Amino acid sequence: MRVVLLGPPGAGKGTHAGIVTETCKIPHISTGDMFRAAIKNGTPVGLEAKSYMDKGELVPDSVVCKMVEERISEADCANGFLLDGFPRTMAQAKALDAALAAKGQKIDLVINLQCSDEVVLGRLTTRRVCRTCGAIYNVNSKPPKVEGVCDVDGGEVYQRSDDTVETITNRLSVYKAQTAELIDYYKGNGVLRDVKADVNKDETASAIRSLL
Ligand code: ADP
């Protein structure tokens, strides 16, 4: 099963990815996580991505597409994968389709997480993340048991540098200008399923389960 998680920043892509990967036994491929790892390791891709990410802009298609195409060619993706944060532009969606078509493959399901700007803004300004394992917390609704310490692995729980009001606002306009059109593209391919993501977490989780 080859699945794409679509939705604005803060819709809950990272939060709900685990349901899909555990149910379908497929790897989770988050381009945002890959870039953050590249920045941490000081790789050339990381150095290039950082300037865009800090402003809430998109990393150039050529960089992202190459990185994803290499990743989905790895052995653990033979039976499928979950893409989170990719594709984000029409050019990326078309490059992905072409890369898959060359192997006789296609995207089977696109889960479109629908969430209002207001909810997104509220969630992202209060979001915190574990620096080592990526576990997601929220200062209001899901704080770690000990402040600043991850419940899962004891890593540092921090605020992403792009989770500021200014950058979030920019990420939202980038989503509307460049990513939202993918909804119609995948609807046209007959693979898009809408899921309400501004309701409570369990409701969203069970709607996702019912699609798998
Ligand atoms: P969110 O969905 O909360 O915005 P991500 O972790 O998916 O966060 O992405 C963080 C940043 O990484 C984006 O704002 C962008 O700069 C970069 N990025 C991630 N995925 C892509 C992509 N597919 N194309 C271009 N840039 C990307």
Side-chain angles (χ1 to χ4, degrees):
M1 183 103 146
R2 294 173 193 88
V3 187
V4 169
L5 262 182
L6 201 63
K13 300 190 292 294
T15 300
H16 293 291
I19 300 169
V20 182
T21 55
E22 280 155 29
T23 310
C24 302
K25 312 245 178 308
I26 50 178
H28 176 200
I29 302 176
S30 156
T31 44
D33 286 351
M34 289 172 85
F35 285 134
R36 280 183 287 278
I39 291 170
K40 199 165 143 192
N41 297 328
T43 69
V45 166
L47 288 176
E48 181 164 10
K50 187 167 173 20
S51 58
Y52 296 97
M53 291 174 76
D54 282 345
K55 285 181 275 186
E57 286 167 11
L58 295 183
V59 178
D61 288 336
S62 54
V63 178
V64 192
C65 290
K66 183 169 180 282
M67 182 177 80
V68 173
E69 280 171 32
E70 283 172 6
R71 178 66 188 89
I72 64 178
S73 302
E74 287 175 25
D76 63 335
C77 293
N79 294 322
F81 46 77
L82 171 72
L83 290 173
D84 161 2
F86 181 94
R88 252 178 162 94
T89 64
M90 275 305 289
Q92 292 179 14
K94 288 185 174 161
L96 173 64
D97 281 354
L100 290 175
K103 298 190 246 188
Q105 299 171 350
K106 62 175 183 55
I107 294 297
D108 303 301
L109 172 67
V110 177
I111 301 173
N112 179 35
L113 297 179
Q114 301 172 307
C115 196
S116 70
D117 291 1
E118 211 187 344
V119 170
V120 160
L121 204 65
R123 279 183 191 164
L124 291 185
T125 47
T126 52
R127 171 164 81 177
R128 300 292 182 271
V129 186
C130 171
R131 207 181 276 283
T132 45
C133 76
I136 300 167
Y137 297 93
N138 184 287
V139 290
N140 300 327
S141 57
K142 196 194 167 199
K145 289 193 188 86
V146 178
E147 200 187 325
V149 182
C150 178
D151 297 349
V152 182
D153 68 354
E156 181 202 355
V157 172
Y158 81 118
Q159 180 167 32
R160 265 170 52 177
S161 60
D162 58 349
D163 278 348
T164 59
V165 176
E166 197 191 351
T167 311
I168 295 163
T169 309
N170 198 30
R171 279 153 63 202
L172 268 174
S173 19
V174 168
Y175 172 79
K176 284 176 193 160
Q178 303 195 57
T179 310
E181 61 183 324
L182 298 184
I183 295 173
D184 281 341
Y185 177 71
Y186 285 120
K187 208 179 267 174
N189 290 354
V191 290
L192 189 97
R193 299 291 177 270
D194 291 330
V195 169
K196 278 196 176 40
D198 46 11
V199 289
N200 79 54
K201 220 167 92 183
D202 296 342
E203 234 175 277
T204 304
S206 62
I208 292 174
R209 262 190 212 100
S210 69
L211 297 176
L212 302 172

